[in-house]
Amino acid sequence: MENTYLGLVLAPLAGAIIAGLFGKQVGRAGAHWVTILGVGISFILSVLVFKHHVFDGGATYNETVYTWMVSDGITFQIGFLVDQLTALMICVVTFVSLMVHIYTIGYMHDDPGYQRFFSYIALFTFSMLMLVMSNNFMQLFFGWEAVGLVSYLLIGFWFKKDTAIYANLKAFLVNRVGDFGFLLGIAAVLMYFGSLNYADVFALAPSLKDSTVEVFPGTEWSLMTMVCILLFIGAMGKSAQVPLHVWLPDSMEGPTPISALIHAATMVTAGVFMVARMSPLYEYSETALGFVMVIGAITAFFMGLVGIVQNDIKRVVAYSTLSQLGYMMVAAGASAYAAAIFHLMTHAFFKALLFLAAGSVIIAMHHKQDIREMGGLKKYMPITYWTSLFGSLALIGFPGTSGFFSKDAIIEAVHASSVPGADIAYWAVLLGVFITALYSFRMFFLVFHGKERMDHHTKEHLHETPWVVTGPLMLLAIPSLIIGYLTVESVLFGDYFKDAIFVLPEHNVLAKIGENYTSEIGFVLHGMMAPPFWLAMGGLFTAWFIYMKKPEIADNIKNNMQWIYKLLDKKYFADEFNEAFFAGGSRGIGRLLWRNGDIRIIDGLMVNGSANSIGWLSSVVRHVQTGYLYHYAFVMIVGLMLLLGWHLF
Amino acid sequence: MLTEIPFLSLAIWFPIIGGLIVLATGDDGNAPRTRIVSLIVSVVTFLLTIPLYTLFDITTPAMQFVERSASPWIEAFNIYYHVGIDGFAMPLILLTSFSTVLIVIAGWEVIQKRVAQYMAAFLIMEGFVIGVFSALDAMLFYVFWEGMLIPMFLIIGIWGGPNRVYASIKFFLYTFLGSVLMLVALIYMYLQSGSFGILDFHALKLGSFEQTLIFLAFLTAFAVKVPMWPVHTWLPDAHVEAPTGGSVILAAIMLKVGGYGFLRFSLPITPDASHSLDWLMIGLSLIAIVYIGFVALVQQDMKKLIAYSSISHMGFVTLGFFIAFSIYDRTGSMSGAAMGIEGGMVQMVSHGFISGALFLCVGVLYDRMHSRQISDYGGVANTMPKFAAFAVLFAMANSGLPGTSGFVGEFMVILSSFKANFWYAFAGATILILGAAYTLWMVKRVFYGEVANDNVKALKDLNGREYLIMFVLAITVLFFGLYPNPLLEVMHPTVDNLLQHISQSKL
């Protein structure tokens, strides 16, 4: 199998290198063919790997590719761990990546950086595969930072745009704050477990569950809690959880295909994947699980609210992504890791679809993104319309769609969970359903229905986008609708994950829900009587009523609740705070240390000060050397007398 | 057979003699020939150092390639010509000979005045530095150590910027004053042991008070070179005024002799003082990492920014070297300490490539625009796309991105210092944020955005010579990031031996 895995990760890398270094030689078509070929091979191999592990019962693969280094008796390796969790992730990553590659041909058609773009997205695919296939913490960190690098390069792809280069710097630095915690977490793992290989660490976890550490003198903290929370800080950066969420909305400055691939479907879910992968550690710390759940719940609820007041089509979807990532984290916190990964998968399909559909609209609108200037696009763009509708229904969890199964499972799981914070989280995810439906269909109605508010010129040129754009939309719409129905039984309630995910019996909420599970149809019927369904319908109806039926209501609400509107419109002032406090504060400290520490004290007082005092001293001593003979003679006589006097008395 | 060739002496003396020949035969009239001769000398020296790696025995901590004159060099004081290398010296010698080749190429058409003198200064300096890394006699070491200052002083003083006189004198006084105390310490130990052999010093029994004084004497000499906070302020000035080649040699090599000194002298000669004063070393290292990180953030001059970044990154070297005792005190064993020392060594080598590359990048811009101010640039990526790609790679390496050599050393030192104390690792890991902040913010302001002005608009992308240098460095940085093991395996026995040595008290 080893060659299969190597081929799987190296094919996109080869594509990236050819398109990146020899872009001029291979030309535009060459660049997209070579990268699509690379990712295509990767996808086919992923499907084979999936078949091998899931249907043919292949054993978990855990082998070293090469030894990165040996130090202090500890071997750091690059290696692969392929089990059911990995198999699912690589299929999702390579499928969405392949769709995005094809879509890019249309979206970036006129861009001068065509080859560079393909090189970056293929490189991203490679990095992401290395991340999910890793069998140790170090390689995880490699992949973790490598996807961050590609994200940085792609957000700043249009590097002439000031907003883009501000956004990519911000994204990288905020992620680095997360990675700061992540790296300390890895250091803790190495210190207490003596290895960075998953298998060794997980095997030791049960015996270390009661260990404590002393971070502040005199306090005893559970080792597992410390390790898990440090690692989770990394996940908060990568998966944009409050308060490290601020970079994700700004990342929309990048071209839309990468918003779909990186900032919706794959990279941002790496944090969720990580928590699921580390389930053998998280299971031993209820505190950490509660922390994960509460952070997730805050993100799910409050970021959804912001989505309601956004007017940029991409930013609405971005806040929706933040909110959905919160749902996944809540699931992980409830020990329903399978539900988190399940939602990760369904979300990857429908959110990539929604982003790519938004991109399709943006192409048609000549790169205008304000939904207030759209409307009535249904009749011009039927394929985009229908696929968007399917994507939106999946997002709000309409019964039967893939999003329904995953979201309902999360809500039920949180309801059944007894981890600290579960009750707050339950209300957050439940009310979140209403909010999701409200912002999703607000956007949907404003874009596709109602009055055509665009200018005359744009309207004249409106038409459906080419097949390279609509093809991926249709291919993504299929799993958005049916993948949940097909897989819910085995992934959530069956033994799909086997040993890949570890859940303690007392935390196993999915098993509890599973007791009432009869069939897919039964799940759907049950869902149609549960509160989430009615909340979703309520949100959908509210959106329709406010934005289609009585548009003046929206303005009324806005005017009557100025402060709430302002708070949401300014995204809780998080950007302003960060800019003033962290960025401004760091520059202030830097200037203070430089001007006062380096220039004034060290250079001024110590270095030049000692030089000056030596200068002063010599200017005094210099007076002795007058050059007059009688002075010297006088001194000699005095000296002689003193010496004689010393001798005599 | 091959091992009988005195590779070390050849590597020391060939560039010095070559440099003298260049000096004697070259003048500005025949500059092209001078450049070619210099290139040949530097390449041959590099080739002469390659056997030091290929023939190196990675299983023993003993000194290798040892040459010791049969009779004393200076009989009255029992001083020998005695050279040899171990796992600490060898990588640094290769770094030196490798960097010198690049410096000669980098100065190719940039230096038009006094070409022979310029090239000769670097070649002679190369010989002295290799001498420093291979000397096993303390007096020989001291001669090379001080001799190294002279070419550097001249490089800054003659080919430097407008404020070069202040900078070169500051540089000279700082480093010279530091080493005077070291000389006193060396003479004291000679009087105690009757020998100037460094290995004899390692075995010399010293009392607690003596050790402390000797440790502090060495500290002043080495701390200035590294440089450690608060004796670092000569470095930004020296870098700013030095020509590109001078900055590269300063960053890539000169700073390393300080780190090397701690390993060769301070730790093995005064293990007990190192143990009792490790709080000082750790404290100063962490201040360097954090304090200097903030200072780098607000620099307006690219060279100053990279100079401060150098100081901050060198903090990891001293942190890694002196973390061993805290680990020992906390866990009762030296397990974990080797990673710190090896991490510090890797950081030294990697920093040589990365900061060298960054100074070369500034040089590329300076040659075209004659400005180092960040505010004079903007949107350079529009006119110099190839150059921008390299610069972003090196910037990422400077930010410690995994997959580049910049990650390896920092990663190892952070892992190791976590074992000593959570808060050491915590403070050290801030470089993840600060390093990325100052480096990438500079990249943003220099390379991204619209073309800022007509000067930027007129910029020409890299020429073949510059491309070659960038390419070689990029490959090196990536290679050691993806596969650092070859660098590490040569030092394992040496590190283990050192730890073994310092875990035994001399008292």
Side-chain angles (χ1 to χ4, degrees):
Chain A
M1 280 309 272
E2 179 161 343
N3 290 332
T4 314
Y5 300 131
L6 275 178
L8 202 156
V9 293
L10 293 180
L13 179 66
I17 291 173
I18 295 171
L21 297 185
F22 307 102
K24 212 176 272 173
Q25 287 81 354
V26 297
R28 292 164 82 88
H32 72 235
W33 280 118
V34 72
T35 49
I36 287 175
L37 184 71
V39 177
I41 291 173
S42 203
F43 173 62
I44 293 167
L45 292 177
S46 300
V47 172
L48 291 177
V49 169
F50 186 83
K51 178 175 168 293
H52 173 75
H53 280 276
V54 178
F55 295 110
D56 304 345
T60 299
Y61 177 91
N62 182 10
E63 297 291 334
T64 302
V65 177
Y66 74 90
T67 299
W68 189 67
M69 71 169 194
V70 180
S71 178
D72 221 350
I74 293 164
T75 311
F76 296 80
Q77 299 151 340
I78 300 295
F80 296 141
L81 168 67
V82 185
D83 56 9
Q84 287 77 8
L85 177 59
T86 314
L88 190 150
M89 287 298 291
I90 57 178
C91 285
V92 172
V93 169
T94 51
F95 176 68
V96 177
S97 176
L98 185 61
M99 291 303 111
V100 167
H101 272 75
I102 297 169
Y103 178 91
T104 300
I105 300 175
Y107 193 87
M108 300 298 282
H109 189 260
D110 304 317
D111 199 282
Y114 195 75
Q115 288 96 320
R116 186 162 58 95
F117 191 85
F118 275 100
S119 168
Y120 287 171
I121 51 176
L123 183 64
F124 170 78
T125 312
F126 164 74
S127 312
M128 192 69 203
L129 289 171
M130 288 299 278
L131 192 161
V132 295
M133 290 173 72
S134 164
N135 72 348
N136 65 78
F137 286 82
M138 186 198 72
Q139 188 183 334
L140 177 71
F141 191 70
F142 262 64
W144 198 262
E145 289 257 305
V147 291
L149 166 75
V150 190
S151 164
Y152 167 83
L153 293 172
L154 281 166
I155 297 171
F157 183 77
W158 289 314
F159 58 78
K160 288 181 195 177
K161 244 171 65 182
D162 272 338
T163 45
I165 58 179
Y166 175 78
N168 77 342
L169 183 63
K170 180 172 167 184
F172 199 86
L173 293 183
V174 174
N175 268 294
R176 269 295 170 97
V177 174
D179 293 353
F180 169 81
F182 199 54
L183 186 58
L184 290 177
I186 292 174
V189 167
L190 181 71
M191 175 169 174
Y192 293 101
F193 294 82
S195 168
L196 287 182
N197 289 334
Y198 291 159
D200 303 340
V201 172
F202 296 163
L204 264 178
S207 62
L208 285 170
K209 68 179 172 164
D210 297 322
S211 313
T212 55
V213 288
E214 201 173 275
V215 175
F216 293 100
T219 57
E220 293 281 306
W221 287 5
S222 151
L223 169 66
M224 285 298 178
T225 302
M226 182 186 81
V227 169
C228 291
I229 289 183
L230 283 173
L231 291 174
F232 184 65
I233 291 172
M236 285 163 70
K238 197 100 309 180
S239 292
Q241 299 293 299
V242 173
L244 298 182
H245 65 285
V246 289
W247 64 273
L248 187 64
D250 282 13
S251 77
M252 296 299 127
E253 295 297 336
T256 307
I258 62 113
S259 304
L261 176 62
I262 302 182
H263 304 120
T266 55
M267 181 188 87
V268 288
T269 59
V272 181
F273 164 78
M274 191 273 288
V275 176
R277 177 56 89 204
M278 304 303 158
S279 57
L281 300 182
Y282 279 88
E283 278 303 293
Y284 291 109
S285 172
E286 286 215 346
T287 317
L289 286 175
F291 185 73
V292 171
M293 185 185 275
V294 170
I295 293 283
I298 292 172
T299 310
F301 184 75
F302 288 99
M303 291 302 120
L305 280 180
V306 178
I308 301 173
V309 300
Q310 295 297 312
N311 290 317
D312 181 316
I313 185 168
K314 282 181 73 182
R315 291 200 179 229
V316 179
V317 192
Y319 277 98
S320 156
T321 304
L322 282 172
S323 171
Q324 298 305 309
L325 288 168
Y327 272 90
M328 296 175 210
M329 285 301 182
V330 169
S335 289
Y337 306 100
I341 296 295
F342 190 46
H343 195 52
L344 185 161
M345 172 181 75
T346 59
H347 175 261
F349 295 127
F350 64 70
K351 191 50 68 67
L353 168 62
L354 283 172
F355 257 120
L356 295 184
S360 174
V361 168
I362 292 170
I363 301 176
M365 293 294 299
H366 295 276
H367 291 269
K368 283 196 194 69
Q369 306 191 356
D370 193 326
I371 51 176
R372 289 170 300 188
E373 292 170 24
M374 299 178 187
L377 290 181
K378 178 184 172 188
K379 73 171 182 223
Y380 302 102
M381 312 182 73
I383 301 176
T384 309
Y385 171 78
W386 283 106
T387 50
S388 287
L389 179 62
F390 296 148
S392 300
L393 287 174
L395 171 59
I396 70 167
F398 189 80
T401 62
S402 64
F404 161 77
F405 292 102
S406 55
K407 192 174 286 181
D408 232 35
I410 291 176
I411 295 168
E412 296 271 326
V414 181
H415 198 44
S417 171
S418 56
V419 166
D423 35 354
I424 310 169
Y426 175 67
W427 286 104
V429 291
L430 192 62
L431 295 177
V433 173
F434 176 81
I435 298 167
T436 309
L438 180 58
Y439 66 67
S440 301
F441 276 88
R442 166 180 176 260
M443 182 179 93
F444 183 78
F445 288 130
L446 284 177
V447 172
F448 292 105
H449 290 273
K451 252 193 288 180
E452 299 170 9
R453 297 177 298 274
M454 64 290 281
D455 59 52
H456 185 66
H457 174 76
T458 314
K459 195 165 160 182
E460 262 182 1
H461 292 88
L462 273 180
H463 58 80
E464 184 59 282
T465 40
W467 72 268
V468 283
V469 172
T470 51
L473 293 185
M474 292 185 280
L475 287 175
L476 281 165
I478 299 168
S480 298
L481 287 176
I482 63 167
I483 194 92
Y485 185 84
L486 295 180
T487 56
V488 60
E489 191 165 316
S490 82
V491 172
L492 282 190
F493 306 116
D495 64 341
Y496 173 82
F497 285 114
K498 298 194 176 74
D499 301 330
I501 283 175
F502 169 78
V503 185
L504 286 177
E506 64 263 36
H507 288 165
N508 202 343
V509 287
L510 283 176
K512 225 186 283 179
I513 306 168
E515 287 163 10
N516 300 324
Y517 177 84
T518 48
S519 68
E520 295 87 351
I521 300 291
F523 198 13
V524 172
L525 290 176
H526 175 260
M528 291 179 83
M529 288 177 290
F533 172 67
W534 296 107
L535 282 168
M537 288 303 107
L540 197 159
F541 178 76
T542 312
W544 172 78
F545 189 75
I546 294 182
Y547 295 98
M548 290 292 100
K549 196 79 184 157
K550 293 234 187 288
E552 62 275 13
I553 296 180
D555 291 327
N556 271 341
I557 297 174
K558 192 157 114 182
N559 293 333
N560 288 331
M561 298 208 233
Q562 265 301 327
W563 69 272
I564 294 186
Y565 175 76
K566 184 104 201 234
L567 190 67
L568 293 180
D569 190 45
K570 288 281 178 190
K571 307 135 196 162
Y572 312 110
F573 297 93
D575 285 338
E576 284 76 4
F577 175 76
N578 289 337
E579 179 55 45
F581 187 77
F582 289 111
S586 305
R587 287 193 297 265
I589 293 173
R591 264 190 294 273
L592 185 81
L593 293 176
W594 183 41
R595 300 243 167 88
N596 292 318
D598 265 33
I599 297 179
R600 196 162 297 161
I601 296 175
I602 297 177
D603 261 3
L605 223 61
M606 284 157 63
V607 178
N608 298 344
S610 36
N612 290 342
S613 40
I614 290 172
W616 173 81
L617 192 67
S618 46
S619 72
V620 174
V621 178
R622 196 174 56 211
H623 290 297
V624 178
Q625 299 186 353
T626 57
Y628 295 115
L629 202 58
Y630 61 90
H631 281 172
Y632 296 149
F634 177 71
V635 170
M636 279 164 75
I637 292 165
V638 172
L640 195 64
M641 283 167 69
L642 281 175
L643 268 178
L644 278 172
W646 185 263
H647 190 72
L648 289 174
F649 302 101
Chain B
M1 212 347 237
L2 213 50
T3 46
E4 285 162 21
I5 302 171
F7 283 112
L8 266 184
S9 285
L10 284 172
I12 297 169
W13 298 106
F14 185 79
I16 294 179
I17 294 167
L20 290 174
I21 293 171
V22 167
L23 194 61
T25 60
D27 61 65
D28 286 358
N30 57 16
R33 198 192 68 194
T34 309
R35 293 185 186 115
I36 290 171
V37 174
S38 311
L39 182 63
I40 292 170
V41 173
S42 64
V43 170
V44 171
T45 312
F46 178 56
L47 294 177
L48 283 171
T49 55
I50 289 189
L52 299 180
Y53 173 71
T54 54
L55 300 178
F56 194 83
D57 181 357
I58 61 168
T59 58
T60 167
M63 288 293 166
Q64 304 182 33
F65 299 95
V66 177
E67 297 166 37
R68 189 168 193 260
S69 55
S71 57
W73 173 38
I74 301 171
E75 199 155 7
F77 300 106
N78 205 12
I79 297 171
Y80 283 83
Y81 177 79
H82 186 187
V83 293
I85 52 171
D86 59 3
F88 293 140
M90 193 271 284
L92 295 171
I93 290 178
L94 263 86
L95 174 68
T96 307
S97 59
F98 174 78
S99 308
T100 307
V101 177
L102 294 184
I103 288 163
V104 169
I105 302 174
W108 205 253
E109 60 227 26
V110 178
I111 299 297
Q112 292 291 346
K113 269 193 321 186
R114 306 185 205 204
V115 179
Q117 286 88 334
Y118 178 85
M119 294 295 183
F122 282 107
L123 293 174
I124 294 172
M125 171 129 170
E126 179 186 13
F128 284 157
V129 175
I130 295 177
V132 166
F133 290 136
S134 47
L136 290 179
D137 183 282
M139 266 304 122
L140 188 64
F141 174 85
Y142 191 76
V143 169
F144 284 131
W145 173 273
E146 294 293 3
M148 184 177 78
L149 289 182
I150 300 166
M152 196 63 226
F153 177 70
L154 295 176
I155 289 164
I156 300 175
I158 296 174
W159 292 273
N163 207 6
R164 58 182 184 265
V165 177
Y166 172 75
S168 57
I169 292 180
K170 193 173 178 182
F171 162 75
F172 192 82
L173 287 181
Y174 242 124
T175 51
F176 186 75
L177 285 175
S179 29
V180 168
L181 288 175
M182 175 171 78
L183 181 63
V184 175
L186 294 178
I187 292 171
Y188 177 82
M189 286 189 289
Y190 163 71
L191 295 175
Q192 296 294 308
S193 68
S195 155
F196 269 115
I198 294 175
L199 299 178
D200 296 332
F201 290 170
H202 288 187
L204 181 64
K205 286 269 178 216
L206 290 166
S208 168
F209 181 64
E210 291 166 295
Q211 281 199 34
T212 306
L213 288 183
I214 292 171
F215 179 83
L216 292 175
F218 280 130
L219 177 61
T220 40
F222 302 143
V224 166
K225 279 281 191 328
V226 168
M228 295 175 75
W229 188 89
V231 288
H232 63 278
T233 60
W234 63 272
L235 188 73
D237 283 319
H239 269 309
V240 165
E241 299 305 328
T244 302
S247 288
V248 175
I249 207 116
L250 259 177
I253 300 163
M254 283 283 275
L255 308 189
K256 308 298 143 49
V257 298
Y260 174 77
F262 286 120
L263 293 176
R264 181 65 72 234
F265 292 89
S266 305
L267 282 167
I269 294 175
T270 61
D272 301 291
S274 303
H275 191 159
S276 58
L277 289 174
D278 74 331
W279 57 270
L280 176 70
M281 301 302 295
I282 292 168
L284 293 181
S285 306
L286 292 177
I287 291 175
I289 294 168
V290 180
Y291 171 114
I292 299 295
F294 278 112
V295 171
L297 201 57
V298 293
Q299 297 306 312
Q300 302 299 322
D301 179 311
M302 288 190 271
K303 267 194 164 177
K304 268 205 171 154
L305 195 151
I306 301 166
Y308 277 111
S309 150
S310 277
I311 303 167
S312 177
H313 283 90
M314 289 300 284
F316 274 92
V317 176
T318 44
L319 179 63
F321 289 169
F322 284 89
I323 207 72
F325 303 104
S326 300
I327 294 177
Y328 183 76
D329 290 345
R330 184 176 177 198
T331 64
S333 90
M334 278 287 182
S335 159
M339 203 183 289
I341 293 177
E342 289 177 358
M345 273 296 297
V346 173
Q347 177 79 346
M348 289 217 283
V349 174
S350 155
H351 174 265
F353 300 133
I354 296 168
S355 69
L358 286 173
F359 279 118
L360 285 165
C361 286
V362 178
V364 165
L365 287 174
Y366 186 80
D367 292 342
R368 288 163 172 73
M369 302 247 308
H370 299 284
S371 166
R372 294 180 312 262
Q373 294 301 313
I374 294 173
S375 55
D376 288 345
Y377 294 87
V380 171
N382 293 293
T383 44
M384 302 179 76
K386 280 184 205 157
F387 174 57
F390 282 117
V392 170
L393 172 70
F394 296 131
M396 280 294 169
N398 200 45
S399 316
L401 189 83
T404 66
S405 64
F407 168 71
V408 187
E410 287 167 25
F411 181 62
M412 294 172 76
V413 173
I414 289 170
L415 291 183
S416 174
S417 55
F418 195 96
K419 273 201 155 173
N421 188 320
F422 174 83
W423 296 104
Y424 296 167
F426 184 89
T430 55
I431 197 159
L432 231 59
I433 305 165
L434 288 172
Y438 57 69
T439 317
L440 296 182
W441 191 29
M442 175 173 76
V443 167
K444 170 180 181 274
R445 287 177 292 169
V446 173
F447 290 96
Y448 295 151
E450 291 282 357
V451 171
N453 52 46
D454 290 345
N455 293 336
V456 173
K457 201 172 176 182
L459 285 175
K460 293 257 185 309
D461 210 342
L462 297 179
N463 61 32
R465 178 181 58 81
E466 291 162 335
Y467 192 91
L468 175 74
I469 302 174
M470 296 285 160
F471 185 76
V472 170
L473 278 168
I475 294 291
T476 318
V477 164
L478 288 174
F479 177 80
F480 285 111
L482 295 172
Y483 190 43
N485 208 36
L487 180 57
L488 281 151
E489 49 189 19
V490 300
M491 46 180 120
H492 291 322
T494 314
V495 172
D496 292 341
N497 185 47
L498 176 69
L499 285 171
Q500 177 78 31
H501 182 84
I502 63 174
S503 58
Q504 281 153 7
S505 170
K506 274 191 174 185
L507 299 175

